[in-house]
Amino acid sequence: MNALFDKLEEYYEEMVLIRRHLHQHPELSFKEEKTAKYIQTFYENLGIEVRGQVGGNGVVAKIYGSKPGKTIALRADFDALPIQDEKEVPYKSLVPGVMHACGHDGHTATLLVLAKVLHEMREKLEGNYVIIHQHAEEYAPGGAISMIEDGCLDGVDVIFGTHLWASEPTGTIQYRVGPVMAAADRFEITIQGKGGHGAQPHRTKDAIVTASQLVINLQQIVSRKVNPIDSAVVTVGSFVADNAFNVIADRAKLIGTVRTFNEEVRAFIEEEIERIVKGTCYTANSTYDYLFAKGYPAVVNHKEETDYLVTCAQQVDSVTNIEETEPHMGGEDFAYYLQHVKGTFFFTGAKPVYTDENYPHHHPKFDIDEKAMLIAAKTLGTAALQYHSKKT
């Protein structure tokens, strides 16, 4: 482990340069051709076995130890978001309207350098290491499903992944057994009423009034229909009924999200939304269209692998705080990997130190403390290297 840590320290500046290059050249989900090529070329230049276009824009590298052992997968995502970068930093995004506002650039830099170190140490290593660089985490259906279908988990015994977490101080590792991130679904509801003159409401079926009532009615699902022990969120994030000031809208559209951890609750809410929509529209003598699009399932960590990860984090010199986290309502398609093999997904604190402001993920001024990448690499590397002896 000392050799691993020393090499990661040695290549830390390279890790920072990679992250800043990626930060300046972000690409949106399913459009990450240049980023994928950059990753693949990195491995080709090191002489590491690599396969591109895995399930789309995914990249998978493989490192073979000289001794027999398990096959461990490590995963990082590399897509960006449609957000204008508002930070005033030298590595600010050069692509208008696109930025790495969630730390995926840091995930990629972490895994690239860790893979480089593992490759250099391969003569001393047990087992094999599958390095998964996943495209399109931010936009459902995501890249995990297609990469799994294309064989990225073939022969894998366990998988580990981390998310750089800018809300927590650098040096913090957060873990959780069981559900740690929620299923993330989307719904769209279009209300069709009967438009007319704003001065003659009695001749119309006001779609805005109906939709407004619907927004209120939907709030009763979580507060009155779901067992308080089961966490759930129903959020209407978009309400569109654009008209002139003196026109009563004949159509209104609501778009929102549902977040759950329990599959039965997830299915119940899908049905309950339509029941409420149907009843509300019946009362208003209006019609509707309803779409419920399932996104990622909940991320459910395996107990044995999560407990093991905690013991690994305790060995990392720069980890100062290890704590169990509350479940997060954000979604992550790492969930699909955990449905196929054992593993765990944890959070690595990465709160920036150069500013007093704590901008959240997906914010135009989002940034990370780059030293967190080194902690993530050491923690993932420790989990990968010691897994053989822990599991035999």
Side-chain angles (χ1 to χ4, degrees):
M1 301 314 304
N2 289 336
L4 172 73
F5 290 178
D6 288 346
K7 282 183 173 292
L8 288 171
E9 293 275 1
E10 178 184 347
Y11 293 133
Y12 171 66
E13 291 303 323
E14 180 180 4
M15 192 182 293
V16 170
L17 290 175
I18 292 172
R19 183 258 168 168
R20 294 188 177 190
H21 169 82
L22 295 173
H23 198 85
Q24 288 184 297
H25 302 90
E27 293 180 298
L28 296 174
S29 303
F30 298 105
K31 299 179 180 179
E32 318 95 327
E33 289 88 357
K34 292 181 180 178
T35 307
K37 182 61 178 177
Y38 177 91
I39 294 169
Q40 184 171 345
T41 300
F42 180 90
Y43 287 113
E44 290 173 344
N45 290 340
L46 292 174
I48 296 175
E49 178 183 319
V50 63
R51 181 163 68 103
Q53 297 182 321
V54 180
N57 291 327
V59 181
V60 176
K62 293 185 177 180
I63 298 165
Y64 301 95
S66 63
K67 305 173 185 178
K70 301 288 187 179
T71 297
I72 295 96
L74 304 173
R75 173 267 201 175
D77 39 20
F78 60 85
D79 55 327
L81 286 156
I83 298 173
Q84 179 63 42
D85 194 349
E86 296 181 0
K87 296 188 302 301
E88 294 304 324
V89 293
Y91 48 88
K92 182 177 181 178
S93 172
L94 300 176
V95 182
V98 183
M99 73 170 287
H100 276 289
C102 202
H104 295 188
D105 51 342
H107 299 167
T108 303
T110 296
L111 203 51
L112 286 172
V113 171
L114 175 56
K116 178 178 179 178
V117 170
L118 292 175
H119 177 65
E120 291 184 359
M121 297 176 62
R122 63 191 181 279
E123 294 301 325
K124 301 179 181 179
L125 301 185
E126 298 173 275
N128 305 316
Y129 303 86
V130 177
I131 313 299
I132 300 172
H133 291 276
Q134 184 204 306
H135 63 298
E137 185 278 330
E138 295 287 2
Y139 196 84
I145 291 178
S146 60
M147 291 191 71
I148 293 169
E149 291 173 347
D150 202 3
C152 75
L153 290 181
D154 290 355
V156 168
D157 296 296
V158 67
I159 187 168
F160 297 103
T162 190
H163 202 305
L164 297 173
W165 213 236
S167 62
E168 300 300 323
T170 300
T172 297
I173 295 291
Q174 293 185 326
Y175 68 93
R176 186 174 184 82
V177 174
V180 65
M181 300 191 78
D185 302 321
R186 169 190 174 99
F187 63 85
E188 297 183 9
I189 304 165
T190 301
I191 307 299
Q192 183 62 58
K194 180 181 177 182
H197 199 289
Q200 298 177 322
H202 60 294
R203 298 179 181 273
T204 70
K205 302 172 185 177
D206 193 333
I208 289 181
V209 171
T210 304
S212 298
Q213 185 63 53
L214 181 57
V215 172
I216 299 301
N217 291 346
L218 290 176
Q219 306 311 305
Q220 299 177 35
I221 295 176
V222 174
S223 66
R224 290 296 178 269
K225 299 292 185 180
V226 175
N227 188 329
I229 303 301
D230 295 317
S231 299
V233 171
V234 177
T235 294
V236 177
S238 175
F239 188 140
V240 179
D242 193 23
N243 273 309
F245 78 99
N246 59 348
V247 175
I248 289 177
D250 70 333
R251 178 177 295 183
K253 186 171 184 178
L254 306 178
I255 304 176
T257 187
V258 174
R259 305 296 170 108
T260 55
F261 293 106
N262 183 294
E263 282 297 318
E264 291 183 2
V265 174
R266 188 184 193 188
F268 169 77
I269 291 179
E270 177 182 358
E271 296 176 357
E272 189 67 9
I273 290 176
E274 184 165 23
R275 190 187 70 80
I276 291 173
V277 173
K278 183 178 182 179
T280 305
C281 289
Y282 176 82
T283 302
N285 195 23
S286 299
T287 59
Y288 70 90
D289 288 319
Y290 172 55
L291 169 67
F292 190 93
K294 285 192 174 181
Y296 309 147
V299 178
V300 182
N301 284 334
H302 297 264
K303 175 175 173 49
E304 189 174 357
E305 283 64 35
T306 304
D307 291 343
Y308 164 72
L309 185 279
V310 171
T311 66
C312 293
Q314 292 170 348
Q315 302 173 52
V316 178
D317 51 3
S318 43
V319 171
T320 56
N321 181 37
I322 303 172
E323 61 186 26
E324 184 177 10
T325 183
E326 294 295 321
H328 294 273
M329 282 298 179
E332 240 287 355
D333 69 347
F334 194 87
Y336 293 116
Y337 301 110
L338 295 176
Q339 290 181 345
H340 286 78
V341 298
K342 293 182 178 181
T344 194
F345 188 74
F346 63 97
F347 302 98
T348 301
K351 185 177 180 180
V353 295
Y354 68 82
T355 175
D356 293 331
E357 296 288 345
N358 185 19
Y359 296 107
H361 292 251
H362 295 207
H363 189 281
K365 292 186 178 181
F366 172 84
D367 205 357
I368 60 170
D369 180 358
E370 291 170 325
K371 291 182 180 178
M373 297 188 296
L374 187 57
I375 295 174
K378 289 181 178 181
T379 307
L380 287 170
T382 302
L385 294 190
Q386 294 189 351
Y387 188 77
H388 310 282
S389 58
K390 293 288 183 180
K391 294 296 176 178
T392 55

